[in-house]
Amino acid sequence: MSRHRGTWRTGLAVVMAVTGGVVLPAAHADADTRQATTELRDDFNGDGYADLAVAAPAATVGGKKGAGYVAVVYGSQNGLNVTTRQVVTQSTAGVPGSPEADDAFGSALTTADLDRDGYADLVVGVGGEDTADGGTGSGLVEVLWGGAKGLSGGAALATGKAYDRLGAQGRLTVGDVNGDGAEDLVTVENQFNLRVLNGPFSREGAPGHGEQIVRDEFDSRVLDLATGDLNGDGVTDVAATENDGDEYDARRVVYWLGGRQGLAPYTTVQDRDGYRLQGGENLDIGDIDQDGFDDIVVGRAVTGYDSDLDTPAAKGGRVTWIPGGADGADGTRATHLNQDSPGVPGSAERGDGFGTDVQVGDVNGDGHPDVVTGLPGEDLGAVSDAGAVVVLRGTKAGLTGTGAQAVTQDTPNVPGSAEKLDAFGKAVHLADANRDGLADLSAGAPGENGDAGSVWYFRSGPTTVVSPNGTTTFGNTLLGTTATGARLGSGYAY
């Protein structure tokens, strides 16, 4: 559900509060200032702080059930500031399309500076969109442009063919896969062929250097995409989790190395026995061991199949670390962790969903990216499927359970209380919202308040992910959106 974060030019604009519209700055940073500073692919308004985009693709908008919306909360020196926010739908001025039933606006989200103006842009998948060019269920990918006042205006980037569901969950990412310095958009057509739109993009949404279709010889299904530099050559690569149709025993991890001519044919990750390594449903990429090669982290939450019998740490779900190297991802050195692994809080139980979402970022500031994962099926005492989030530590030796921490709605200083079917941790996110060098955690609980959904933000510290004065929660009441069935917190921009 994501892609590896690189560096960004950022500015010093200060944002004032707004709901459902354009964010107004109190000050504006000039282009020279933005280009002189660094970091943050999530910074839509150029003030130097990571912003948060969270989806509610099932939400009702204008009476249209399942039309969907995206909420954006802007970062500040104190972390996320819920008074500086936007709610974006297809009825927002400048956003292509109009709200329709089951459009699922926000079915996938990612960020990139597509037009190279120094501001991060928000790329939005509308997986259920019917389009004039593609037909029923073709799907749509569009961009909302960043700027000094936040997100404003947009353009359609691509439509699919009938029933492609272009821009559906897990089928959208960005990265410079041809090494020309411009961000490229990677999505999926026919559920298994990669479709690459080569940037930079015009403000009308046209790719600057055409498209590349990377075909799969098998009838695979892409479950999730992520980008990073697996072989250390300076060009972005793409990794995916796949399966054969609906057969989850056939899960695998594949990757396509980037190069000057675009993406090369895919490679399947093999385990130490020479067979393809059992994959999962989602993944992220980052250099956990800091050896100069990005690594793949895979979440395998769906269990109960025959393959569990010969799959390490399968019970209750698992997280797998696959180190990168000069030849790409090396599955022979993979490490598998679940809740029965030393140091990991809790115990592995069927239905926990450990590995439901995985995200990579340095939570404690030790220089090694950590991994957060959700367990939306975790029971807390007699409260079933209340949910939890676990932080796994990154080290020089790779990913470890030692020092892992768990966060739930029953954790001290966390607002709210654990309730049945909350599904806390269904989606997770890491980004430095207060620019202190630590990746802050956000967690979604789409089942909160009878499927209305809510979002929690935790400001990280060197020893803990829950700061007494750094935790915020928000939902549909604050956003002014329809709560019924919204399932806010179903996904983030990665």
Side-chain angles (χ1 to χ4, degrees):
M1 295 179 174
S2 95
R3 48 100 184 97
H4 178 54
R5 306 196 192 295
T7 58
W8 267 86
R9 297 186 299 273
T10 58
L12 301 174
V14 179
V15 186
M16 297 178 65
V18 68
T19 302
V22 177
V23 174
L24 302 176
H28 183 276
D30 59 32
D32 290 339
T33 300
R34 290 198 310 275
Q35 292 176 10
T37 57
T38 61
E39 291 226 332
L40 302 186
R41 303 190 64 142
D42 310 76
D43 185 9
F44 303 126
N45 60 357
D47 66 352
Y49 302 100
D51 308 315
L52 181 76
V54 59
T60 297
V61 176
K64 306 294 184 181
K65 186 177 180 180
Y69 71 80
V70 176
V72 179
V73 180
Y74 287 80
S76 73
Q77 64 180 350
N78 296 316
L80 289 185
N81 183 354
V82 295
T83 67
T84 57
R85 61 186 185 269
Q86 291 177 278
V87 175
V88 184
T89 74
Q90 286 188 293
S91 63
T92 301
V95 177
S98 58
E100 297 170 317
D102 299 321
D103 273 353
F105 181 82
S107 54
L109 301 172
T110 190
T111 62
D113 184 5
L114 294 186
D115 58 354
R116 298 206 288 190
D117 66 350
Y119 297 97
D121 309 310
L122 179 63
V123 183
V124 182
V126 195
E129 182 88 2
D130 301 335
T131 65
D133 293 337
T136 303
S138 55
L140 169 69
V141 177
E142 52 192 42
V143 60
L144 309 178
W145 299 116
K149 297 182 178 181
L151 295 173
S152 179
L157 300 176
T159 59
K161 301 175 183 178
Y163 304 107
D164 258 4
R165 294 189 60 82
L166 197 77
Q169 182 179 5
R171 299 174 184 170
L172 188 63
T173 190
V174 292
D176 182 11
V177 301
N178 57 9
D180 66 354
E183 296 278 11
D184 309 310
L185 175 68
V186 183
T187 185
V188 180
E189 67 172 22
N190 296 331
Q191 301 187 69
F192 54 86
N193 291 330
L194 295 192
R195 181 179 175 187
V196 183
L197 283 69
N198 296 303
F201 290 77
S202 73
R203 294 288 287 193
E204 290 72 39
H209 295 98
E211 298 186 16
Q212 178 191 14
I213 302 296
V214 185
R215 302 192 182 279
D216 190 331
E217 61 184 311
F218 300 108
D219 184 20
S220 305
R221 298 291 184 271
V222 171
L223 303 176
D224 197 15
L225 293 171
T227 54
D229 188 2
L230 300 174
N231 62 353
D233 66 353
V235 181
T236 301
D237 311 311
V238 178
T241 52
E242 293 185 339
N243 70 290
D244 293 335
D246 293 326
E247 179 51 68
Y248 272 89
D249 274 3
R251 283 168 289 182
R252 58 183 168 271
V253 182
V254 302
Y255 63 90
W256 298 260
L257 294 177
R260 298 302 175 184
Q261 303 304 313
L263 295 178
Y266 73 87
T267 299
T268 302
V269 177
Q270 306 292 318
D271 64 19
R272 59 178 55 92
D273 296 322
Y275 298 101
R276 65 185 183 192
L277 187 143
Q278 270 280 329
E281 301 78 53
N282 67 94
L283 77 168
D284 197 9
I285 293 178
D287 189 3
I288 303 296
D289 56 2
Q290 289 293 284
D291 65 350
F293 304 101
D294 280 341
D295 314 317
I296 301 175
V297 179
V298 179
R300 184 184 189 273
V302 177
T303 60
Y305 290 84
D306 290 343
S307 61
D308 291 357
L309 298 175
D310 56 5
T311 298
K315 185 177 181 181
R318 78 176 187 190
V319 171
T320 297
W321 171 65
I322 307 170
D327 297 322
D330 184 1
T332 67
R333 297 193 291 132
T335 297
H336 309 287
L337 299 172
N338 71 356
Q339 283 188 285
D340 284 342
S341 300
V344 179
S347 59
E349 299 168 316
R350 184 169 181 173
D352 281 349
F354 187 82
T356 290
D357 192 9
V358 291
Q359 291 297 303
V360 176
D362 187 359
V363 174
N364 60 358
D366 67 354
H368 288 276
D370 308 301
V371 173
V372 297
T373 186
L375 299 82
E378 180 85 345
D379 298 341
L380 300 180
V383 182
S384 60
D385 297 341
V389 174
V390 168
V391 182
L392 303 169
R393 297 303 184 188
T395 71
K396 184 177 181 180
L399 194 63
T400 179
T402 301
Q405 295 184 44
V407 179
T408 75
Q409 287 191 70
D410 284 346
T411 299
N413 301 311
V414 175
S417 59
E419 299 169 312
K420 183 179 180 179
L421 302 178
D422 276 351
F424 181 84
K426 179 69 173 179
V428 294
H429 182 266
L430 288 175
D432 186 3
N434 62 342
R435 202 168 56 180
D436 65 352
L438 309 179
D440 303 319
L441 168 66
S442 293
E448 178 80 5
N449 296 328
D451 286 341
S454 288
V455 175
W456 280 256
Y457 161 74
F458 305 95
R459 195 169 64 198
S460 295
T463 60
T464 180
V465 294
V466 180
S467 170
N469 300 313
T471 302
T472 301
T473 185
F474 64 90
N476 290 275
T477 300
L478 177 79
L479 299 173
T481 50
T482 300
T484 303
R487 294 189 64 79
L488 174 65
S490 294
Y492 292 96
Y494 301 117

